[in-house]
Amino acid sequence: MPNTIVRAAIYPGIGIARVGNSANDFYIGPEVTDPPAAPLGFYRDATGALKREAARFRIYGYNAQGHVVAELTQSANVEIAWTVHLANRKAAWYQWQIAMDIPDAATTVLPLRNAKVTDRAGLTIDAGPQSISGTAAAPVTCAGKFSFGGVTTDVPLGVLRTDDAGRLLVLGAQGVSASPTGQPIFDPNDGNSFINADGWYDDTCDGTIDAMVAIDGKSIPVESAWVVTAPPNYGPQLKAVRTLYDLLHDLYIQAGWMPEPGTPSFTDDIYPILHRLTDHQWVNQGFAGQFGGGAPYNFADPSLIARLSAKAPAGQFDPNAEFRRQIFNAFRPPIPVSNTPTPPTPGAGNPMQWPWIYGDAMDRAAYSDNARQNSSITPTQSAALAAWVAGDFTADWGQTPPPPRAIDDVPLADQPAMLNRAAMDFCLADAFHPGCELTWPMRHMSMYKAPFRFNRRPAGTPEPVYGPTLDQTQALAADGPLHAQGPGDVNRWMGLPWQADTGFCRGGYDTAYDPFVPTFWPARVPNEVLTLDNYAIAVNAHLPMPDRVAAFSQRMNWNAPLTGTTAEQMEQMVKIFGSMGLLEVWPGVEGNGALPAKMMVASFGPGIYAAPASVAVGETRLKVGPSGEQPIPTPVRRKPG
């Protein structure tokens, strides 16, 4: 029967939760690729603390032909019981130094973190399998223990909930990182101690999501999923130029797991690549100067969009073809995902090619002959742009329906794919140095059994022991760590603690070249932001336009609250990460080429920035949420850590 459900699967296949320092408040992460902007103040609780982001998991039932029949929720004839196993294995794993799958890592040998600790089991924070069922069920805390130097500490890794339909919610933890025995977070005499802090733990994690489903008392098989808890998203409306979805989509296409794309749509395939450059104006001063309001390549400018989206009739001269070609040539060619050595190419690391994002092999020089000095778009993205240049695209700007704003707006058959994409679209693929949410193992097919489904190590099956060091050969071997995964295995490659990394992957390291670009992760960790003070001037219609434009153009150094030595700044980030600036969407100025109709403005938690109590926008005065208690320190240009 076409409506008979014979199996089920959990979506998204890889869900993302995020930590926050709010004690109780949380929100649900993106479930569509273009969610509406949240109301002002949405991401902070009444005290100004940062809410945690929950990953919501849904179950879809399939018939024997592989078609989606229904979303399965708790009901009179459907019973659902969830089991989640979270773990953090960072302290027991090898150091982070470099992406181990690139030529630059050929001679790298990674020592263990906490190499002197013989009882390695105590370094793994394992919450074990935890179960929850029913609708709006009482919260279940997932916690493990961290043991170092004779001290054992309880470490919560997250909280399980269910919604009113019995769907699973996995909340991130509260962003606690610490050394119970007072070990240093960074040793300036040991460069390899950067984001490899011995004696420290953090409460990010990853793990398995399982469900038992019975329909009318009969159990059916259910495809499991995975959850990763990650650092906060300080730019929740922003996407990287190449998202983690873009990387995985391309990976699966190259492997034959997903179909080759057809004729690119300007609206769906071309414009997002360009507009993401313009969106970076809210997080980086360099991008603002080239792609922002009033800038040469403001891809939000309607007149520019009209030119880019126009297609000449067949057989007629195309007046925009050369302009499209120049834009395409401004992008850096795709960099192959391979550890095969790439001969140095003069100019390969030219930072002026787009995107202005550092790569996996970044060094501190602006120019480098290393092709991996800076990042690139994927081959799939590049092929779409090449077709656009040739005029082989669908000119559909303004002719397509608006994107769905909630998962219920998506046709049932398309909801599983949308959930997979939405989770990965708000994660970074560049630079894997190591990255924000996940890192370089994600680009290896051996990690997966199907698109967005990790290969899973059976419970009770121990992972091979790789010894006191890990080199490239072993890291990429057929019996190496890039195959069957267990709880804690995906997150273990990330920095420890995460705040040390987030506080120091910045932009403009070669200030003699440019103090702002290239940059690392601005879509998640801003570099320069618009403050409410300058926003209030920019939208004040009673002030001279030059003053308004000047205020709009002046951005604050996001890292200005972090002062002192490298170690001191890291320790400050551990304490105040929840108060750092998070971008909210405010009304801008309509019909003004130099000032956008919407602006992203940084909101801060207590103790960082004394925001005005309210801001006049046209004839309306908007109230500002909980403000800080102290003025921000005088901004200083940030330095490499």
Side-chain angles (χ1 to χ4, degrees):
M1 297 291 290
N3 292 327
T4 300
I5 295 173
V6 299
R7 64 178 180 88
I10 303 170
Y11 288 90
I14 304 171
I16 302 295
R18 296 181 188 272
V19 302
N21 65 325
S22 177
N24 299 304
D25 289 6
F26 68 94
Y27 63 93
I28 295 171
E31 294 186 306
V32 292
T33 54
D34 291 286
L40 296 176
F42 174 82
Y43 293 102
R44 297 191 182 278
D45 66 17
T47 70
L50 192 62
K51 295 178 185 178
R52 291 178 278 174
E53 180 176 303
R56 177 156 60 183
F57 292 89
R58 299 166 181 254
I59 300 174
Y60 288 85
Y62 289 79
N63 63 17
Q65 289 72 43
H67 300 144
V68 178
V69 174
E71 183 192 352
L72 301 178
T73 56
Q74 188 77 27
S75 64
N77 68 320
V78 177
E79 296 180 28
I80 299 174
W82 299 91
T83 300
V84 180
H85 187 169
L86 302 178
N88 176 317
R89 299 187 60 197
K90 286 184 179 182
W93 193 236
Y94 298 92
Q95 289 187 355
W96 164 265
Q97 291 183 18
I98 192 172
M100 291 296 288
D101 59 347
I102 62 175
D104 308 73
T107 60
T108 299
V109 178
L110 301 177
L112 288 165
R113 288 170 172 155
N114 298 292
K116 296 180 181 179
V117 175
T118 55
D119 180 12
R120 307 297 297 177
L123 299 172
T124 293
I125 307 166
D126 193 335
Q130 302 294 326
S131 297
I132 192 169
S133 61
T135 59
V140 174
T141 298
C142 300
K145 296 182 182 295
F146 177 74
S147 296
F148 180 88
V151 178
T152 298
T153 305
D154 292 327
V155 182
L157 294 179
V159 173
L160 310 182
R161 292 176 176 262
T162 59
D163 68 11
D164 57 6
R167 304 180 186 98
L168 175 68
L169 300 175
V170 181
L171 279 64
Q174 290 186 267
V176 175
S177 299
S179 171
T181 57
Q183 301 301 306
I185 196 170
F186 173 69
D187 178 0
N189 297 313
D190 178 7
N192 288 337
S193 70
F194 184 80
I195 66 173
N196 294 303
D198 282 353
W200 278 73
Y201 69 85
D202 69 25
D203 58 7
T204 60
C205 62
D206 72 273
T208 53
I209 308 290
D210 292 294
M212 294 182 62
V213 174
I215 302 177
D216 295 325
K218 181 180 179 181
S219 295
I220 61 172
V222 183
E223 185 77 23
S224 64
W226 213 276
V227 67
V228 174
T229 70
N233 179 353
Y234 295 103
Q237 288 296 122
L238 299 179
K239 295 181 184 179
V241 179
R242 175 171 71 166
T243 70
L244 189 53
Y245 174 82
D246 294 326
L247 184 147
L248 293 179
H249 181 227
D250 181 79
L251 182 71
Y252 300 147
I253 288 173
Q254 306 306 325
W257 284 14
M258 296 183 79
E260 292 277 352
T263 301
S265 153
F266 179 82
T267 302
D268 296 335
D269 301 312
I270 305 303
Y271 184 66
I273 301 172
L274 305 177
H275 189 258
R276 291 171 190 176
L277 294 168
T278 288
D279 265 354
H280 275 59
Q281 69 176 300
W282 307 115
V283 287
N284 181 276
Q285 186 89 58
F287 278 82
Q290 183 78 331
F291 304 105
Y297 290 100
N298 175 13
F299 291 115
D301 182 349
S303 61
L304 181 57
I305 296 172
R307 187 177 178 190
L308 298 172
S309 62
K311 183 176 179 179
Q316 292 189 19
F317 175 74
D318 189 340
N320 296 307
E322 176 58 21
F323 185 51
R324 295 197 301 268
R325 181 179 295 108
Q326 290 176 12
I327 289 176
F328 174 68
N329 287 337
F331 280 92
R332 190 171 293 107
I335 300 168
V337 179
S338 170
N339 68 318
T340 303
T342 303
T345 303
N350 180 357
M352 287 312 296
Q353 287 190 290
W354 301 347
W356 296 338
I357 305 291
Y358 285 124
D360 298 343
M362 171 266 185
D363 64 29
R364 299 193 185 278
Y367 283 90
S368 169
D369 288 343
N370 189 334
R372 292 172 177 82
Q373 164 74 5
N374 298 294
S375 297
S376 68
I377 56 178
T378 69
T380 299
Q381 288 176 308
S382 184
L385 289 175
W388 172 64
V389 170
D392 183 17
F393 68 99
T394 302
D396 54 3
W397 185 254
Q399 302 172 26
T400 60
R405 295 304 198 179
I407 191 65
D408 289 339
D409 299 332
V410 178
L412 176 67
D414 299 331
Q415 288 181 14
M418 174 61 80
L419 292 169
N420 277 340
R421 179 167 184 171
M424 296 291 95
D425 238 7
F426 288 90
C427 295
L428 301 190
D430 300 304
F432 285 148
H433 204 272
C436 284
E437 298 90 2
L438 295 158
T439 190
W440 63 271
M442 294 294 290
R443 59 189 173 204
H444 288 265
M445 286 297 296
S446 59
M447 293 280 289
Y448 307 96
K449 63 178 180 180
F452 310 103
R453 305 277 178 188
F454 286 129
N455 268 325
R456 182 167 168 179
R457 189 165 57 252
T461 302
E463 184 181 30
V465 176
Y466 302 113
T469 60
L470 186 73
D471 62 16
Q472 187 179 78
T473 299
Q474 186 60 61
L476 304 180
D479 60 350
L482 303 187
H483 295 269
Q485 305 294 300
D489 286 358
V490 182
N491 176 7
R492 63 187 173 179
W493 301 92
M494 305 301 292
L496 176 63
W498 68 265
Q499 291 98 331
D501 204 16
T502 297
F504 269 92
C505 277
R506 306 175 178 179
Y509 285 92
D510 187 344
T511 56
Y513 168 72
D514 192 295
F516 306 113
V517 295
T519 177
F520 265 110
W521 308 327
R524 291 293 150 269
V525 183
N527 305 139
E528 293 85 28
V529 293
L530 181 64
T531 65
L532 274 166
D533 290 290
N534 282 332
Y535 167 80
I537 296 171
V539 298
N540 190 331
H542 302 290
L543 296 177
M545 185 55 67
D547 293 349
R548 297 169 64 188
V549 172
F552 170 77
S553 302
Q554 183 179 12
R555 305 296 163 86
M556 186 194 85
N557 179 353
W558 189 81
N559 286 93
L562 308 178
T563 60
T565 66
T566 297
E568 289 170 342
Q569 292 186 47
M570 290 178 173
E571 290 169 354
Q572 290 166 22
M573 188 66 176
V574 168
K575 296 176 182 178
I576 68 170
F577 79 89
S579 292
M580 296 293 281
L582 182 143
L583 296 182
E584 296 181 303
V585 178
W586 285 69
V589 180
E590 296 286 349
N592 186 305
L595 297 173
K598 292 186 182 297
M599 301 183 187
M600 294 192 192
V601 184
S603 83
F604 294 83
I608 298 297
Y609 168 75
S614 62
V615 173
V617 183
E619 300 302 319
T620 304
R621 182 163 287 276
L622 300 180
K623 183 180 179 181
V624 176
S627 61
E629 301 161 351
Q630 305 170 13
I632 193 167
T634 302
V636 292
R637 186 67 55 219
R638 92 207 67 180
K639 300 178 181 179

